[in-house]
Amino acid sequence: MMVRNHALSHRLVAMAVAMVAIFMPHHIQGIHEDEVGLADWYQPHIGRVAHCIIGTTQSTLYVSTYSRVIAALDLTSGDLLWRQLLPETEGEVALIDYHAGALVSASSLSSGGSVVRMWDATRTLIIEVESPRVYSHIKIRPNPGSKNKPDFVLLARDHIEVRSGRDGSVLKSSTLSADARSMFLQRNIVHVIHDTRSSSLDMDASDASWTASQGPLFESDLGTLFQDDAYVVVDSHLVGVSAKSPNNIVSVPIGKESSQSITTQHTSLFSSALPASPVLSVHPLSGAGGILVTARGHAGGLSGVVSASLNPKGLTSTPGHASLDPSTMRVEDAEIERIFSFEAKLRFDVVVFSDWSLRCVDVTGGSVLWTREEALASIQHVEIMDLPSRDLSDLNKLEKEFNQRGILNKFFYRIATQVDQLFSFVSGNQAAPLVEKGQMTKDQFGFRKLVIIATEASKVIALHSEKGNVVWGRNVRDIKGAGHLYVTRTSAHFPPEVVVVGQGNEGVTVTAIDAMSGVVKHVQRAGPGPLVQAFLLPATDSNFTRTLAIVTEGNQVHIYPDTEDASRAVRDITTPVYYYIVDRESGGVSGFRLSKGSAEKTWAASFEGKVVGIAVPHGKEHTYSPAVILGDRTLLAKFLNRNAIALAVLSAQSTLHIHVVDTVTGAVLHTTHHQAAAEPVSLCLMENSIVYSYLSYKTSRHIIGAIDLFEATIDWTSSSQPISSAETGAPAFSYHQTFIVNTGIKAITPTVTSIGITSRQVILGLASDQVVSLDFKFVNPRRPQASAMTQADKDEGLVPYKPLLPFHPFWYLSYNRTVARLHTIYTAPTFLESTSFVFATGLDSFVTRTAPSEGYDVLNPDFNYFTLTLTCIALVVGTVMATRASKAKDMARAW
């Protein structure tokens, strides 16, 4: 009977398993189209705007940027409609012009000359021609009623030419007698402006007679208007064809102090007269005629704009900027670089600020339509922080309690805290939380993070990791370019703090910023500079702020924060503190030890060649197991040295050297050589492994190499065994293997998880600007040949070696998207051990998550809870019914 009962139970279990297998969703690699954007986001950028033109439909802005980008923006929303990335071998887009659906651009070449292109309104490239000349101005010749693409005029230093809009060929050309400063078109006449005179050329004339007629520049007063709105700005002067004397080219000064005042509503911000600063914008006024002149004004230390109209009555006040709220034309700690004024149905100003932000202002309505943070196109340094907990007030009180000295003090502080909480609860006057519940607090799985970014525009920006929203932005004007970011206080101690260290006009500057609000808390000068090195010390003050060491010229060491509390914490450090400096050009590496406020040089090494790559252990990497468990259940001890770095050195003989160096002793722990190697070179260091890539120009193939370092046999039961490989010297042996890939590698970064149990992946940034997750087992240097594979290798899960390493389509984290000009990938752990956070940067930004061992510690969002519940209920009911039936049957047989 017992055998029959067991058999019945087994059948019931098998049925339940079958039901679960049928009804539960299966794991599928890849995502569906409607899942795009749920766990990732993508932000395209264009960079710092240099030129801006409105389209014929008056709903599109065409811009060119210093990042070699030509793009079209929606005028009402600022959304990117399309963009074209020019080759990196070219310089910035110097010129653009638009007319009747044709956009013409000219960009310089690093080898000299220019590339001229014509596009249509849908970004289709129509013409692309190279010229040996470098052009300074470009204008499209209007051809009303014609279906052909318009011709365009190009001005070089002493040369002018007209090119065909059909094939880009030169229709007319002429050599000028003097260097040209600018030009403008008046119907069929090209007017070229020199220092003291002008040249005029008739575009309808025959090729043989296309010569310039000379004429002087006439100085004029403010009452001048120009014929056909034909004018150009040259050094704070308006130069154009006089309406009174059409044969004369007149010059009107507009950038000098004028005795005619301009009345404004916001006199505290705007100047009361047209300032002697550079002119920002010149725009023709519709209706009664006239020209709107906008210049920069300064008052009370703020930068604003002041506008005036130039008409037959002289310089008069004008509506527009004079009636705007000052906040619409101002960004804190940033100046206005240029203004592009347009008239569509309303009047718009597109303002470019010194922090690279782009803002569109409705001058008629006095409101900001949209803003683009284009500083994100130049990300240099990134720190990824966890958001704080929801209730931080109790956390702060708990910290203060533990800061009390003595058991009695802690006890009385605890009683006082609980009494305060009781009174607050009874009275209903509970203190507001320090952080509002919602998106600015951590979630259950740690997916919400605060991404702090330092940009080339000297601006620090905080992004929310969920959708990429800008939480705050702060211009750090005391620092030139991008500073170095350091997290000196984490979100576990509110408020979290980040520090920006960089070189400024007054030396090295340290700026402390509240990571939640972006408020500058403190600015500290750290010597005259230049900045040599900066790093966090293993010491915290009473406010839980990590101390930061700043090393300047002469090995002078400065401490942040510069307080007695922090100095005491530094003096209490019992272990030596070491740091290193790498000279990329000469290949030299030096090691130093901190001692009593100064740095002492302890070792120096020189490698033949140029350092093209440096890899350091990830700051949040955790090593769960110090050994690799082999298939035969023996242990292979990893060589783990947190002081080690990996250097990629490319010699003049095109030999790539991969060196592993101990930064405390200066010892070279391991070296690998590759002949006939070339850039790009990327590498990363994780635990005991180095993964790198390079181009082999001998075979014209891209190579990925991997190195594993291991210790000698270790007696795991011995108490005298060293706890770190740094104490054992060089590794006993290593494994090395190379693989062929069909694309170049721009960046390599390892994944990190909260504990380090999960299998490792390397995140690759491809030359195609896509992001790929590659399981380490495919680049494991211990992969055996298929013919030599043993049963122990199979039990361990090793993959047979194949020289070609293809990328499966499911490995592409960015799926069908590209991160334009991808250069760096950052990773961070989440609260889930299975999941790692990935942030790829370049001209664009891309955030996603990856699970190297799949999501084994969390259910899928679309998990069928109803089916599982129904299955469990059916299983319980079936088990109960089967048990009762079995007992009844046994009872019947017993009788």
Side-chain angles (χ1 to χ4, degrees):
M1 289 186 293
M2 296 298 296
V3 174
R4 293 174 181 173
N5 290 340
H6 283 303
L8 181 61
S9 299
H10 290 166
R11 285 195 293 270
L12 289 173
V13 171
M15 292 174 58
V17 171
M19 293 178 64
V20 172
I22 293 173
F23 291 105
M24 283 183 62
H26 297 278
H27 175 76
I28 301 175
Q29 288 184 312
I31 61 174
H32 296 283
E33 185 176 359
D34 58 352
E35 296 177 324
V36 174
L38 295 180
D40 62 86
W41 53 261
Y42 166 77
Q43 289 183 352
H45 302 289
I46 57 177
R48 182 184 178 191
V49 172
H51 304 279
C52 183
I53 297 175
I54 194 169
T56 306
T57 60
Q58 298 185 342
S59 62
T60 305
L61 291 176
Y62 297 96
V63 300
S64 67
T65 72
Y66 293 102
S67 301
R68 304 181 302 279
V69 174
I70 295 177
L73 303 177
D74 188 294
L75 179 60
T76 57
S77 64
D79 294 337
L80 181 64
L81 302 178
W82 59 261
R83 69 177 179 185
Q84 289 290 339
L85 307 181
L86 302 185
E88 297 188 28
T89 55
E90 298 183 14
E92 64 186 52
V93 183
L95 309 160
I96 61 170
D97 196 17
Y98 179 89
H99 181 76
L103 179 68
V104 179
S105 68
S107 56
S108 58
L109 292 171
S110 57
S111 58
S114 301
V115 177
V116 181
R117 297 179 175 89
M118 176 178 281
W119 323 74
D120 67 8
T122 61
R123 72 176 174 179
T124 302
L125 182 63
I126 301 174
I127 297 172
E128 181 174 353
V129 294
E130 289 192 15
S131 172
R133 296 183 173 86
V134 177
Y135 299 108
S136 59
H137 292 81
I138 185 170
K139 285 291 182 182
I140 296 179
R141 180 188 182 185
N143 53 353
S146 176
K147 296 183 179 180
N148 298 325
K149 292 298 180 182
D151 301 335
F152 50 95
V153 184
L154 295 164
L155 177 65
R157 183 173 60 87
D158 59 352
H159 185 86
I160 188 170
E161 60 190 27
V162 179
R163 288 183 176 266
S164 169
R166 182 175 54 185
D167 56 9
S169 59
V170 177
L171 301 179
K172 299 181 177 67
S173 66
S174 178
T175 301
L176 303 173
S177 59
D179 291 350
R181 303 183 64 185
S182 186
M183 74 170 179
F184 63 92
L185 301 183
Q186 183 201 12
R187 299 178 183 174
N188 62 324
I189 304 297
V190 182
H191 297 283
V192 181
I193 309 302
H194 307 282
D195 287 331
T196 59
R197 62 183 187 274
S198 64
S199 302
S200 300
L201 300 97
D202 187 354
M203 288 189 291
D204 291 336
S206 61
D207 294 348
S209 61
W210 208 59
T211 56
S213 59
Q214 304 289 329
L217 286 179
F218 295 95
E219 292 288 338
S220 183
D221 56 18
L222 293 173
T224 302
L225 281 180
F226 299 107
Q227 190 177 49
D228 300 327
D229 284 336
Y231 59 87
V232 69
V233 179
V234 181
D235 292 342
S236 298
H237 284 69
L238 279 178
V239 181
V241 179
S242 173
K244 298 178 180 178
S245 303
N247 295 326
N248 294 337
I249 306 298
V250 297
S251 175
V252 180
I254 59 173
K256 297 181 179 180
E257 288 286 350
S258 171
S259 59
Q260 303 184 52
S261 298
I262 304 173
T263 304
T264 66
Q265 294 181 4
H266 300 283
T267 55
S268 61
L269 175 63
F270 300 119
S271 302
S272 59
L274 193 63
S277 57
V279 174
L280 296 174
S281 174
V282 177
H283 178 68
L285 292 173
S286 59
I291 299 171
L292 179 69
V293 180
T294 305
R296 184 183 295 117
H298 297 273
L302 300 176
S303 175
V305 293
V306 58
S307 298
S309 60
L310 184 67
N311 53 43
K313 297 181 180 180
L315 185 67
T316 60
S317 62
T318 180
H321 291 125
S323 60
L324 282 179
D325 187 327
S327 62
T328 62
M329 300 298 290
R330 182 168 63 86
V331 171
E332 187 173 355
D333 295 328
E335 291 188 349
I336 297 174
E337 286 194 343
R338 55 182 62 86
I339 298 177
F340 303 95
S341 299
F342 306 105
E343 283 193 62
K345 297 179 181 178
L346 303 173
R347 190 181 143 216
F348 299 91
D349 277 358
V350 178
V351 188
V352 182
F353 292 91
S354 59
D355 66 347
W356 298 22
S357 59
L358 187 67
R359 177 176 295 183
C360 184
V361 179
D362 177 6
V363 180
T364 306
S367 61
V368 176
L369 296 181
W370 49 264
T371 301
R372 292 183 63 93
E373 284 287 358
E374 290 304 328
L376 293 172
S378 62
I379 296 175
Q380 300 296 320
H381 301 278
V382 172
E383 286 288 344
I384 302 172
M385 299 176 56
D386 290 322
L387 286 168
S389 301
R390 292 178 180 270
D391 190 1
L392 291 173
S393 57
D394 292 341
L395 178 61
N396 287 349
K397 293 177 181 178
L398 186 62
E399 289 178 354
K400 291 180 180 179
E401 176 185 333
F402 279 98
N403 284 338
Q404 301 296 318
R405 295 184 180 274
I407 297 178
L408 289 178
N409 289 337
K410 292 181 179 180
F411 174 75
F412 287 125
Y413 189 87
R414 166 62 67 88
I415 296 300
T417 300
Q418 292 180 346
V419 170
D420 290 340
Q421 291 177 345
L422 178 61
F423 277 111
S424 299
F425 178 77
V426 173
S427 61
N429 296 326
Q430 298 186 18
L434 298 177
V435 176
E436 293 295 332
K437 295 183 178 180
Q439 300 302 312
M440 287 305 293
T441 56
K442 65 176 64 174
D443 61 318
Q444 180 182 2
F445 301 133
F447 294 158
R448 290 186 198 151
K449 294 183 182 294
L450 198 62
V451 183
I452 313 295
I453 296 169
T455 67
E456 187 182 337
S458 299
K459 188 170 187 177
V460 181
I461 299 174
L463 298 181
H464 197 290
S465 65
E466 273 199 330
K467 296 298 180 182
N469 301 326
V470 176
V471 179
W472 53 262
R474 179 63 54 195
N475 293 300
V476 188
R477 301 185 66 181
D478 296 330
I479 295 176
K480 296 179 180 178
H484 299 270
L485 282 176
Y486 302 91
V487 178
T488 52
R489 187 163 59 240
T490 65
S491 57
H493 308 285
F494 193 84
E497 179 185 272
V498 293
V499 166
V500 189
V501 182
Q503 186 72 41
N505 294 326
E506 301 180 6
V508 179
T509 302
V510 183
T511 305
I513 302 175
D514 187 327
M516 297 300 294
S517 63
V519 175
V520 175
K521 301 171 62 178
H522 180 67
V523 177
Q524 175 181 319
R525 306 297 177 188
L531 177 65
V532 176
Q533 183 66 282
F535 52 92
L536 292 170
L537 294 173
T540 58
D541 62 11
S542 59
N543 295 320
F544 302 96
T545 300
R546 285 281 299 273
T547 53
L548 181 71
I550 302 104
V551 184
T552 57
E553 190 176 24
N555 292 330
Q556 295 299 312
V557 181
H558 308 268
I559 301 298
Y560 169 83
D562 189 12
T563 61
E564 181 59 31
D565 190 9
S567 300
R568 186 186 309 110
V570 173
R571 288 194 298 267
D572 292 341
I573 298 176
T574 58
T575 58
V577 177
Y578 297 88
Y579 71 93
Y580 63 93
I581 297 174
V582 178
D583 188 337
R584 288 180 174 266
E585 294 299 325
S586 65
V589 186
S590 302
F592 298 84
R593 180 177 58 203
L594 291 185
S595 176
K596 297 180 181 180
S598 63
E600 176 188 357
K601 191 173 183 178
T602 57
W603 61 269
S606 180
F607 301 104
E608 181 184 357
K610 177 183 177 182
V611 178
V612 294
I614 303 174
V616 300
H618 197 290
K620 298 180 181 179
E621 181 184 68
H622 295 274
T623 301
Y624 180 75
S625 175
V628 176
I629 304 175
L630 303 181
D632 57 4
R633 298 303 181 263
T634 58
L635 299 179
L636 196 58
K638 301 176 182 177
F639 181 83
L640 302 173
N641 186 348
R642 295 289 294 178
N643 301 320
I645 63 171
L647 300 176
V649 181
L650 189 60
S651 68
Q653 293 76 29
S654 300
T655 300
L656 178 65
H657 308 273
I658 305 297
H659 301 289
V660 181
V661 181
D662 189 320
T663 57
V664 173
T665 64
V668 179
L669 305 176
H670 180 81
T671 300
T672 298
H673 310 281
H674 294 282
Q675 302 290 336
E679 295 186 81
V681 176
S682 301
L683 76 163
C684 72
L685 176 62
M686 51 181 179
E687 292 188 352
N688 64 318
S689 304
I690 300 101
V691 180
Y692 58 94
S693 67
Y694 66 95
L695 170 64
S696 174
Y697 65 80
K698 185 175 182 179
T699 60
S700 299
R701 288 176 171 176
H702 295 278
I703 306 296
I704 287 184
I707 304 171
D708 268 4
L709 306 178
F710 293 97
E711 292 274 15
T713 303
I714 291 179
D715 183 6
W716 299 98
T717 62
S718 174
S719 59
S720 61
Q721 180 67 38
I723 61 174
S724 171
S725 298
E727 304 177 30
T728 63
F733 61 96
S734 63
Y735 291 92
H736 180 217
Q737 194 62 268
T738 57
F739 306 87
I740 301 171
V741 292
N742 57 6
T743 181
I745 308 295
K746 288 185 174 182
I748 301 179
T749 303
T751 57
V752 287
T753 55
S754 57
I755 303 177
I757 299 176
T758 305
S759 301
R760 295 176 295 172
Q761 283 184 341
V762 285
I763 308 300
L764 306 179
L766 305 184
S768 61
D769 291 332
Q770 291 177 294
V771 183
V772 169
S773 61
L774 178 64
D775 198 306
F776 182 74
K777 67 181 181 181
F778 293 109
V779 291
N780 191 336
R782 296 177 50 247
R783 286 179 61 176
Q785 296 288 342
S787 59
M789 198 162 185
T790 64
Q791 185 60 41
D793 296 333
K794 296 178 181 178
D795 293 341
E796 186 183 346
L798 294 179
V799 180
Y801 173 76
K802 292 183 179 179
L804 184 62
L805 186 62
F807 295 144
H808 197 282
F810 291 154
W811 298 351
Y812 285 77
L813 297 179
S814 56
Y815 33 95
N816 61 343
R817 284 177 172 166
T818 58
V819 183
R821 295 174 185 160
L822 172 66
H823 59 73
T824 311
I825 300 174
Y826 301 89
T827 56
T830 64
F831 298 163
L832 291 179
E833 170 58 23
S834 65
T835 308
S836 184
F837 179 86
V838 180
F839 180 38
T841 65
L843 184 67
D844 302 337
S845 303
F846 176 71
V847 162
T848 188
R849 301 193 296 263
T850 181
S853 300
E854 310 302 342
Y856 58 83
D857 51 358
V858 66
L859 296 175
N860 291 333
D862 57 350
F863 184 81
N864 197 333
Y865 293 96
F866 176 77
T867 302
L868 178 61
T869 304
L870 186 63
T871 302
C872 293
I873 293 174
L875 181 61
V876 171
V877 172
T879 302
V880 172
M881 293 177 62
T883 302
R884 295 184 62 181
S886 178
K887 288 182 179 180
K889 188 174 182 180
D890 292 342
M891 183 65 69
R893 286 184 178 180
W895 284 102

